[in-house]
Amino acid sequence: MESLKTYFSGQRGVYHGIAIAVVVAVFALPFITIDAYTIQLATQALIYVLLALGLNVVVGYAGLLDLGYVAFYAVGAYTSGILTTRLGWPMWATIPAVVAACVLAGVVIGGPTLRLRSDYLAIVTLGFGEIIRVTAQNLSITGGPSGIFGIPTWSFGSWSFNDGLTVGGLFFNGKILLYYFVAIVVMVLGLIGIPRLANGRLGRAWRAVRDDEDAAEAMGVNTYTTKITAYIIGAVWAGLAGQLNASLITTISPTSFQFLQSALVLMAVVIGGMGSVPGVVLGALFITLAPELLRDVWENRSLMFGILLLAVMLFRPKGLWPATSILPWSRDKHRAKVDTKPAQARAEEV
Amino acid sequence: MSLPMIDPSALLTTHPEAVPRPETLLEVKNLRLAFGGVVAVDGLNMNVHRGEIVSVIGPNGAGKTSAFNCITGFYRPDSGEIAFMGKSIIRTRPSKITRMGMARTFQNLRLFSDMSILDNVRTGAHAHLRQHWFDAFLHTPAYRKTERACEEDARYWLDFVGFTGDTLLYVTQLPYGEQRRVEIARALATNPKLLLLDEPAAGLNHTEKRGLVDLIRRVRDLDIAVVLIEHDMGLVMDISERIIVLNYGKEIADGAPDDIRANPLVIEAYLGAGDDEEPADGADQASADPGQPLPPAPPSLPEASATADRSDGGEARR
Ligand SMILES: Nc1ncnc2c1ncn2[C@@H]1O[C@H](COP(=O)(O)OP(=O)(O)OP(=O)(O)O)[C@@H](O)[C@H]1O
Ligand SMILES: [Mg+2]
């Protein structure tokens, strides 16, 4: 018992404790309410968590400013939408196609631009986001401005989520099953997978490139391939989030993939804390839930976001839950990084 | 000092001893680099041999750092040849050069500021760590094994450079001297055959400098050749087996410390040839530590020649 107490007072333990609490809460939600709107909103919020965690790889770990991230979300949504509605593929069978399409898009966009210094990437990705949207608007296979309707839910053989499932006398309807499915995907890919990547050899290379590209090269890290790997992994994560979202809302159209969406996801990462998984989760929950919860209070949500973003940047420039933070009640508190001097205060000289 | 207790097959793509090391590690011929009108490196020739400690000295702006940057691939020289272990490394990425076995530190510390000390040093193992990202994703036994080996390796090097603190601190939480040590540990973790140190003693106090001298010698004892740029003449004279003196991008002398001390060209370069520069300040304007900027007065040995030692100064010691 004592060792358990010591464990949960350390930084790792604190994180694990919070993670357990979150998992329990996510699992318990349908037992508290099965209100369709709430479940839908919760599913959407989880998809945004996945999206933001994917962008966190690009922006937070590798330090690449991507202003058109939602383009990959669109690629994933459209790829699965087209293949299921036009060709009648089951949703799961489109996963390889979604991954392949996102890898291809990532290579096409990232390949040439990541050779340049990072500022160019922001401009190119901004353009790419618009190109994807305008293309979707003008092609007939993507349904033009009205988009794609009637995207089916996940089906496996003759059984689909919409048939529901009875476990131990409890009936789970299609929406709840999709919610659980999304929750599992988000936890496995986002909350377990990404931190694992970030802690291994590749993740160290990402963070090294972010902190100092030249020093990373001097350590034998090929900064180009490292950046492109981050970019592609971010693209695939967004594509999968797009696919989940398509199966949730069943209708996709170019208006769902505007620049504002990219900006919102980026905002989730920045206000949460770049490179910080709990921070980014908080940020993603905030951008999805706050407008709904405050719908009646604030008419103008763009203004509200603007003000909040400014406030966070002014008072917590490293985000609500910075990656370098150590919780004050943890016994590892001496490891908290106090200095907040701009990281780029180094000389120009190599 | 024993080698790290790691399973080399888990960590290394090529065992360090599998590739026979040539006697001449680095050969630089006629290297030239200009920034607009400023010729930073002007026809530099230098060789570094296995297991030696060489210092590169020269007044501020002599082109020492620029030469290092060309050798390590950060700058592309305008002309000239650079061969490392017998292979040309012109137009090679810095990361590739590091993988070939050349490591460096930077004049103004460049640690990864948002990473822990341990992670900084573990990044050094990047090149020879055989770990697929998919293994990291799945936490396979292969991942655990490589990660453990990498951490042991990093701890070994931190221990080697004499770092005894909490390895999970962020590097910016350390005092300057400790940061310098961590940077050397990080460079050593790349498993180099040649280590280039750009002003490693800058900003260190007297005790720390003595530790550095000892450290450099221990590095050399691991059969790693060390080239250091340094302004602290006391340290340079103490540790170097050979000294290369640069001035205006050209090497003006190459020889044993005693010859350099007596070399009139060197003294002239440091005294600024009586021009409008203040004589004694030539060497330490940008250096955080004044050290001993001037070589001790020449013991009047006028026959010591700058060029006679250069071409075969290195070969002579073997
Ligand atoms: N990136 C650069 N762009 C333009 N000029 C440069 C650049 N790097 C160096 N120089 C110039 O090249 C010359 C040599 O500089 P370098 O930094 O190599 O000197 P150094 O010998 O390392 O000096 P110090 O002892 O002060 O470190 C200087 O005149 C410097 O101004
Ligand atoms: Mg220099």
Side-chain angles (χ1 to χ4, degrees):
Chain A
M1 215 57 230
E2 192 50 44
S3 67
L4 212 60
K5 202 175 154 199
T6 340
Y7 178 73
F8 282 111
S9 69
Q11 179 75 357
R12 252 175 94 84
V14 172
Y15 273 107
H16 286 172
I18 293 171
I20 291 167
V22 168
V23 169
V24 168
V26 167
F27 180 77
L29 180 76
F31 292 92
I32 297 161
T33 173
I34 53 162
D35 171 42
Y37 167 77
T38 310
I39 297 291
Q40 168 103 5
L41 182 60
T43 314
Q44 188 102 58
L46 286 172
I47 291 171
Y48 262 81
V49 167
L50 186 61
L51 192 61
L53 285 170
L55 183 61
N56 185 39
V57 169
V58 182
V59 178
Y61 291 129
L64 308 167
L65 184 55
D66 187 339
L67 294 180
Y69 191 58
V70 85
F72 297 113
Y73 190 58
V75 167
Y78 272 106
T79 306
S80 61
I82 290 167
L83 292 175
T84 49
T85 58
R86 314 244 185 243
L87 300 180
W89 290 21
M91 192 51 105
W92 62 264
T94 69
I95 292 175
V98 167
V99 172
C102 289
V103 170
L104 186 70
V107 170
V108 167
I109 300 303
T113 27
L114 290 172
R115 284 194 190 281
L116 308 169
R117 287 270 158 179
S118 304
D119 326 342
Y120 293 94
L121 186 71
I123 298 161
V124 172
T125 51
L126 184 65
F128 175 58
E130 288 305 288
I131 288 169
I132 289 287
R133 189 176 60 82
V134 173
T135 308
Q137 198 149 18
N138 289 294
L139 288 182
S140 61
I141 193 165
T142 56
S146 48
I148 298 177
F149 301 91
I151 297 168
T153 188
W154 296 75
S155 60
F156 303 91
S158 60
W159 179 82
S160 91
F161 282 173
N162 284 343
D163 297 336
L165 190 67
T166 311
V167 181
L170 283 170
F171 178 74
F172 295 92
N173 67 27
K175 295 232 168 214
I176 295 175
L177 287 179
L178 184 61
Y179 167 79
Y180 276 130
F181 178 69
V182 168
I184 289 168
V185 172
V186 171
M187 280 171 193
V188 170
L189 286 186
L191 297 179
I192 300 175
I194 287 184
R196 280 183 172 189
L197 286 181
N199 284 332
R201 173 179 182 266
L202 179 62
R204 279 193 296 272
W206 286 340
R207 288 176 287 144
V209 167
R210 173 198 65 194
D211 283 358
D212 190 328
E213 266 192 50
D214 289 323
E217 275 281 339
M219 291 298 104
V221 175
N222 183 322
T223 51
Y224 175 65
T225 52
T226 302
K227 286 192 279 187
I228 205 158
T229 321
Y231 197 66
I232 289 173
I233 286 179
V236 170
W237 256 243
L240 294 173
Q243 179 178 13
L244 290 175
N245 198 44
S247 70
L248 172 72
I249 60 179
T250 72
T251 304
I252 51 173
S253 73
T255 49
S256 342
F257 306 108
Q258 287 173 347
F259 170 68
L260 180 68
Q261 296 293 312
S262 295
L264 277 179
V265 183
L266 184 61
M267 189 171 135
V269 174
V270 173
I271 66 171
M274 288 196 276
S276 151
V277 169
V280 168
V281 171
L282 271 183
L285 292 180
F286 175 77
I287 62 157
T288 44
L289 301 182
E292 297 299 324
L293 300 177
L294 299 172
R295 175 166 268 170
D296 307 324
V297 187
W298 261 306
E299 284 287 300
N300 196 337
R301 77 168 188 186
S302 307
L303 181 66
M304 177 192 77
F305 274 150
I307 292 169
L308 277 168
L309 186 58
L310 270 179
V312 171
M313 288 297 95
L314 279 176
F315 299 110
R316 293 197 59 97
K318 294 208 148 184
L320 293 171
W321 190 322
T324 55
S325 70
I326 303 277
L327 299 171
W329 61 84
S330 143
R331 67 184 149 76
D332 299 323
K333 56 180 171 289
H334 66 282
R335 291 183 182 137
K337 190 182 170 191
V338 278
D339 98 316
T340 46
K341 76 165 164 57
Q344 310 305 327
R346 68 179 113 94
E348 284 295 294
E349 193 183 1
V350 178
Chain B
M1 190 52 64
S2 65
L3 278 164
M5 293 306 293
I6 50 171
D7 175 7
S9 63
L11 199 58
L12 302 171
T13 36
T14 47
H15 193 274
E17 296 312 321
V19 185
R21 262 176 231 195
E23 288 302 301
T24 304
L25 286 175
L26 179 72
E27 277 180 277
V28 177
K29 282 201 199 88
N30 236 329
L31 192 70
R32 202 189 121 91
L33 173 77
F35 296 103
V38 181
V39 184
V41 183
D42 192 3
L44 175 69
N45 292 292
M46 66 182 264
N47 288 340
V48 178
H49 308 276
R50 190 174 159 170
E52 70 177 340
I53 300 177
V54 183
S55 289
V56 177
I57 63 169
N60 287 119
K64 306 178 296 292
T65 300
S66 301
F68 261 34
N69 285 342
C70 289
I71 293 167
T72 49
F74 285 92
Y75 289 167
R76 188 162 294 172
D78 298 330
S79 62
E81 250 317 304
I82 306 171
F84 179 57
M85 310 233 302
K87 284 201 193 80
S88 170
I89 51 168
I90 293 279
R91 299 177 163 268
T92 307
R93 279 189 87 89
S95 53
K96 179 90 189 297
I97 294 175
T98 304
R99 282 156 195 256
M100 290 170 75
M102 193 195 301
R104 71 170 291 176
T105 62
F106 293 87
Q107 180 165 354
N108 15 37
L109 270 177
R110 292 179 77 164
L111 288 163
F112 305 121
S113 56
D114 280 349
M115 293 168 74
S116 70
I117 292 158
L118 187 64
D119 273 353
N120 262 274
V121 182
R122 280 201 286 188
T123 307
H126 182 89
H128 51 258
L129 187 65
R130 278 191 303 174
Q131 184 193 97
H132 196 270
W133 63 268
F134 216 72
D135 281 320
F137 190 72
L138 298 177
H139 268 202
T140 58
Y143 166 79
R144 287 170 206 276
K145 186 175 160 196
T146 50
E147 211 49 14
R148 208 178 312 123
C150 174
E151 182 173 336
E152 275 172 29
D153 200 25
R155 289 194 190 283
Y156 170 81
W157 289 119
L158 281 168
D159 205 44
F160 185 84
V161 300
F163 178 83
T164 49
D166 180 351
T167 56
L168 294 182
L169 289 175
Y170 289 97
V171 282
T172 45
Q173 291 176 286
L174 291 180
Y176 189 79
E178 296 283 286
Q179 292 191 24
R180 282 257 172 223
R181 261 188 237 256
V182 173
E183 202 191 17
I184 295 176
R186 189 180 71 167
L188 287 170
T190 65
N191 254 328
K193 299 169 182 73
L194 173 62
L195 177 63
L196 308 181
L197 303 171
D198 197 343
E199 301 197 15
L204 299 190
N205 64 30
H206 188 67
T207 329
E208 288 170 330
K209 275 183 191 167
R210 283 226 309 272
L212 179 71
V213 169
D214 172 58
L215 172 61
I216 291 174
R217 293 215 169 102
R218 284 189 293 123
V219 169
R220 193 266 313 275
D221 292 344
L222 296 177
D223 195 16
I224 299 171
V226 181
V227 180
L228 64 150
I229 294 176
E230 200 32 79
H231 282 302
D232 182 330
M233 286 306 153
L235 192 147
V236 166
M237 293 296 161
D238 179 17
I239 199 171
S240 317
E241 285 147 9
R242 195 150 64 83
I243 299 176
I244 298 170
V245 189
L246 298 191
N247 198 18
Y248 296 111
K250 290 189 172 67
E251 96 275 29
I252 56 170
D254 180 341
D258 286 337
D259 300 336
I260 296 297
R261 215 193 297 264
N263 189 314
L265 281 174
V266 176
I267 295 154
E268 189 185 295
Y270 272 90
L271 291 174
D275 276 348
D276 45 8
E277 260 182 55
E278 286 173 59
D281 266 9
D284 65 340
Q285 276 156 357
S287 167
D289 173 72
Q292 289 164 258
L294 270 179
S300 63
L301 281 172
E303 75 271 19
S305 146
T307 40
D309 296 319
R310 183 214 304 154
S311 52
D312 48 9
E315 278 84 356
R317 55 180 285 279
R318 287 179 185 277

